[in-house]
């Protein structure tokens, strides 16, 4: 005897109106191209760090990373990993608005 199975069917082609606001919503993958976001992430983070910090040394101290890592972020060579992104979002109340504004300008 087989056990019943739950099947989740997702349709990203349809957007459903939000009952409260009347605004239609779509999945994140329909709003952003994940590959494009990955490619532009180092530049977005570099702009953010330059906006918030005076130099790479301050980034290294705040994020508890090596000076070389901070230089890579400052120069848009690489982007921070998820725990650094969470640190920034949890400690800077303006970070989310900053990134939303930058992404809106690029779109």
């Amino acid at each position: 005897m087989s056990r019943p199975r739950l099947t989740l069917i997702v349709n990203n082609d349809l957007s459903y109106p939000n009952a409260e606001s009347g605004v239609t919503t779509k999945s994140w993958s329909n709003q952003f191209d994940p590959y494009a976001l990955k490619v532009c992430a180092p530049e977005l983070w570099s702009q953010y760090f330059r906006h918030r910090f005076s130099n790479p040394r301050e980034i290294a101290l705040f994020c508890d990373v090596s000076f070389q890592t901070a230089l890579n972020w400052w120069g848009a060579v690489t982007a921070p990993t998820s725990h650094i992104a969470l640190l920034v979002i949890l400690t800077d109340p303006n970070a989310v608005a900053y990134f939303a504004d930058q992404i809106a300008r690029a779109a």
Side-chain angles (χ1 to χ4, degrees), residues 3 6 15 17-18 20 26 28 38 44 47-48 52 58 60-61 64 68-69 73-74 78 80 88 98:
R3 295 174 19 197
L6 176 65
S15 61
N18 185 339
E20 296 171 6
K26 291 186 176 184
W28 283 107
K38 181 179 180 178
L44 285 170
Q47 291 171 5
Y48 170 79
R52 181 167 179 202
E58 288 183 9
L61 291 171
D64 194 27
Q68 183 60 54
T69 298
W73 296 344
W74 187 265
T78 60
V88 166
Y98 178 85

Side-chain angles (χ1 to χ4, degrees), residues 32-48:
F32 299 111
D33 175 9
Y35 179 75
L37 191 58
K38 181 179 180 178
V39 169
C40 73
E43 185 61 36
L44 285 170
W45 277 101
S46 175
Q47 291 171 5
Y48 170 79

Side-chain angles (χ1 to χ4, degrees), residues 2-98:
S2 66
R3 295 174 19 197
R5 296 181 183 195
L6 176 65
T7 304
L8 177 65
I9 300 173
V10 177
N11 183 350
N12 286 332
D13 294 331
L14 298 175
S15 61
Y16 298 94
N18 185 339
E20 296 171 6
S21 65
V23 176
T24 59
T25 59
K26 291 186 176 184
S27 69
W28 283 107
S29 63
N30 283 342
Q31 294 179 25
F32 299 111
D33 175 9
Y35 179 75
L37 191 58
K38 181 179 180 178
V39 169
C40 73
E43 185 61 36
L44 285 170
W45 277 101
S46 175
Q47 291 171 5
Y48 170 79
F49 285 133
R50 289 171 181 267
H51 176 76
R52 181 167 179 202
F53 298 99
S54 300
N55 55 54
R57 187 166 311 284
E58 288 183 9
I59 298 168
L61 291 171
F62 179 79
C63 296
D64 194 27
V65 296
S66 70
F67 182 68
Q68 183 60 54
T69 298
L71 277 175
N72 288 343
W73 296 344
W74 187 265
V77 176
T78 60
T81 55
S82 62
H83 73 282
I84 299 297
L86 288 171
L87 174 70
V88 166
I89 289 170
L90 293 172
T91 59
D92 182 0
N94 300 320
V96 174
Y98 178 85

